[in-house]
Amino acid sequence: MEVRSYSGSMNLKAERGAATRDQLLAIATRLFAEHGYEGTSIEAVLQESGLSRGALYHHYAGKDALFEAVLEATEAGIGVKIVEAVAGITDPAESLRSGVLAWIRLAGDPVIQRIVLIDAPSVLGWEKWRAMEERYSFGMLKAALRATDAIPAGFLDLHAHMLLAAINESALLVARGGDRETAEAAVEEFLRRVLRSH
Amino acid sequence: MEVRSYSGSMNLKAERGAATRDQLLAIATRLFAEHGYEGTSIEAVLQESGLSRGALYHHYAGKDALFEAVLEATEAGIGVKIVEAVAGITDPAESLRSGVLAWIRLAGDPVIQRIVLIDAPSVLGWEKWRAMEERYSFGMLKAALRATDAIPAGFLDLHAHMLLAAINESALLVARGGDRETAEAAVEEFLRRVLRSH
DNA sequence: TCGATTACAAACCGACTGTCGGTATACGAA
DNA sequence: TTCGTATACCGACAGTCGGTTTGTAATCGA
C-alpha cells in the first residue's frame, strides 16, 4: 500500500489521522480482496487494526465509503503502473497494445480482480462506478484509442467502452486459471481486428 | 413471471409449494431489481408475501439461493426471447447480428440490468456466474460465433467471451440513458470489425 | 388407518452496521 | 501561557438482518 511522508510538512494531529486512515485502508483492502465486500465485516477490520468503531466511523462514513476509498486507491495504483508500462512508446497502436497487456498482467492480482472487477459495480452502483472508470482505466483507454485514429469519432466512446469490457473479461479469465499466453494472443488478435481500418 | 399449470398432474401439496415458490420468486425478482441484492432484505420479501421465515427457508436455502433462483429464471426467460428473435434466420452472420440486437433491447429492462449484469457476478461468485453464463447467453453467442466461421478455432472461446462482455457493456450503456440508435450502430460496427476475416 | 413427509409458523440467536455521548490531546488565537 | 476549539479516538448501545430451531397442521403413500 501507499507510503506517505507527512513528517515536517504536517502537524501531529493530521499526521496521526492520515496514518490511521492508511492503516484502515490497507487492512480493508486485504480483507475486501480476500472475502469480498459482503464477506468482510467492519468488525474484522476493527479487530485487525486494534482501533475502535468510533475511530473508523470518524474517518469513513460507513462500510461503503471505506470500500470506495479502497477502490480509489487501488485504481490510482493501477493507473500509475500502466502509465509506467507505456512510457516512452510513441507509436499509438503499440502504446495501446502495451497498455492493454500491462493491464491484463496487473489483473492477475486477486486484489484487483475482486475489488475492481467484481465487487465495485454492485457496491458503488453503476453511476458512481462509471464515473470512477472514466477517471482511470476508461479515460486512459479512450485517449489511447483516439490516438490510433482507427475508430470514427462518432463511435469512439462506445468502442472504447466495449473494448475495455472485453479486455477486463480477458483479464478475469486469465486470473481464474486461464492460459495467459493464449489469452494475450487472443486479445492482441481481437485488438487488431477492432483497430483495423477498412 | 412464469405461469405454471400444475393442476391435475400434481398433488395438492406439491402444487401449493410450487405456487409459494413462484410467489417468492416474483416478489424477490422485483425487489432485487429495484434495490439490488444488498439493499433487499429477506424481511421485506416476507412482508410483501405475507409468509413466514419458515416458509421461505423451507423452499430456499438462504438469501443467496433465492437470488440464484431469481437469476436462473430471468436468464431462462432471456434465452427464450433471443431464440425467438433469431428464429428462421439462416445466415449465421445475420443471425448473430439479430441475436445481439435483441439482447441489447432486452437489457433495457431494469430487472435484467441490475440482477443479471450488475449483481450476479458478486453474489454468485465468479465460478458459479461463469457456469450459468455458459448455459445461457455465452453458450448461445459462442455457437452463433462458431457458425459464422470468422474466428480461428483457437481463439473462438476467448473471442466469444470478449464479444459478450463488449455487448453487455453496450446494453448497460443503452439502459442507462445512452442513445439506443447510436449504440446499436456502434455495436454493429464493432461486430463487423471483429468478424471481418482476412 | 397411520407413520412419514411436506408446508408453514413463530420465537429466538448471534452477528453486524451505524449512532451517540464522552474523553483526551494537539492546535491556534488572544 | 492560556484557553476555547477542533480533531482523534473510545466503547456502550440500539436496531436490523440472516439464519436456526422447535412446533403444528395437513396431506400423502402404503
Side-chain angles (χ1 to χ4, degrees):
Chain A
M1 191 85 315
E2 210 168 339
V3 177
R4 302 181 192 169
S5 54
Y6 316 101
S7 32
S9 67
M10 275 174 148
N11 57 31
L12 217 180
K13 253 167 57 174
E15 201 167 330
R16 288 218 327 184
T20 300
R21 270 192 297 278
D22 280 1
Q23 188 196 359
L24 287 170
L25 220 53
I27 291 170
T29 299
R30 185 166 47 77
L31 293 181
F32 281 143
E34 278 172 14
H35 311 111
Y37 180 78
E38 250 222 302
T40 303
S41 68
I42 293 282
E43 296 285 345
V45 176
L46 295 178
Q47 201 166 341
E48 291 217 17
S49 68
L51 290 164
S52 66
R53 306 188 73 70
L56 190 146
Y57 280 94
H58 172 69
H59 290 290
Y60 298 100
K63 193 183 176 185
D64 49 350
L66 178 60
F67 180 86
E68 205 175 326
V70 165
L71 179 63
E72 180 88 38
T74 305
E75 290 259 29
I78 294 170
V80 169
K81 281 178 187 155
I82 292 192
V83 166
E84 280 172 15
V86 302
I89 301 176
T90 51
D91 177 50
E94 180 55 30
S95 173
L96 180 56
R97 202 188 69 95
S98 298
V100 165
L101 292 182
W103 165 227
I104 289 182
R105 284 175 190 135
L106 280 176
D109 182 353
V111 173
I112 294 175
Q113 290 166 39
R114 181 84 216 207
I115 294 176
V116 178
L117 297 177
I118 297 190
D119 281 337
S122 70
V123 175
L124 289 200
W126 196 77
E127 320 290 350
K128 267 193 180 178
W129 157 242
R130 267 268 274 141
M132 188 168 290
E133 273 224 313
E134 195 93 36
R135 292 213 314 280
Y136 293 104
S137 40
F138 176 73
M140 291 174 61
L141 177 68
K142 191 170 152 189
L145 198 59
R146 181 186 291 116
T148 66
D149 232 5
I151 309 289
F155 288 158
L156 183 67
D157 211 83
L158 280 157
H159 276 232
H161 268 110
M162 289 189 273
L163 208 44
L164 179 59
I167 294 162
N168 284 351
E169 178 73 10
S170 286
L172 267 180
L173 286 168
V174 170
R176 298 298 172 141
D179 179 51
R180 159 160 305 165
E181 287 185 27
T182 309
E184 288 186 1
V187 167
E188 291 196 59
E189 170 65 16
F190 195 86
L191 247 185
R192 238 177 278 127
R193 284 169 181 258
V194 172
L195 293 185
R196 195 166 41 200
S197 52
H198 36 335
Chain B
M1 188 87 311
E2 210 168 339
V3 177
R4 301 180 193 169
S5 55
Y6 316 103
S7 32
S9 65
M10 276 175 149
N11 56 30
L12 216 180
K13 256 166 58 172
E15 201 167 330
R16 285 215 331 180
T20 300
R21 269 192 298 278
D22 279 1
Q23 188 196 359
L24 287 169
L25 219 54
I27 291 169
T29 299
R30 186 166 46 78
L31 292 180
F32 281 143
E34 279 173 13
H35 312 111
Y37 180 77
E38 251 223 303
T40 302
S41 67
I42 293 283
E43 297 285 343
V45 176
L46 296 178
Q47 200 167 340
E48 289 218 17
S49 67
L51 289 164
S52 66
R53 305 185 77 70
L56 191 146
Y57 279 96
H58 171 68
H59 290 291
Y60 298 100
K63 192 183 177 185
D64 48 351
L66 178 60
F67 180 87
E68 205 174 327
V70 164
L71 179 63
E72 181 87 39
T74 305
E75 290 260 28
I78 294 169
V80 168
K81 282 178 186 155
I82 291 191
V83 166
E84 280 173 14
V86 301
I89 302 176
T90 51
D91 177 50
E94 180 55 28
S95 173
L96 179 57
R97 201 187 71 97
S98 298
V100 165
L101 291 183
W103 164 227
I104 288 182
R105 285 174 190 135
L106 281 176
D109 182 354
V111 173
I112 294 176
Q113 290 165 38
R114 181 83 215 206
I115 295 175
V116 179
L117 298 177
I118 298 190
D119 281 337
S122 71
V123 174
L124 288 199
W126 198 76
E127 321 290 350
K128 267 194 179 178
W129 183 71
R130 267 267 276 142
M132 186 166 294
E133 276 226 312
E134 195 94 35
R135 291 213 315 281
Y136 293 105
S137 40
F138 175 72
M140 291 174 60
L141 177 69
K142 191 169 154 189
L145 198 60
R146 182 187 290 114
T148 67
D149 233 6
I151 309 289
F155 287 158
L156 183 67
D157 211 82
L158 280 157
H159 276 234
H161 267 110
M162 288 189 275
L163 208 44
L164 180 59
I167 294 162
N168 285 350
E169 178 73 10
S170 285
L172 267 180
L173 286 169
V174 170
R176 309 310 274 227
D179 177 52
R180 159 160 305 164
E181 287 186 26
T182 309
E184 289 186 1
V187 168
E188 292 196 59
E189 169 67 15
F190 195 84
L191 247 185
R192 239 178 278 130
R193 284 168 181 260
V194 171
L195 295 184
R196 196 167 39 205
S197 56
H198 44 181

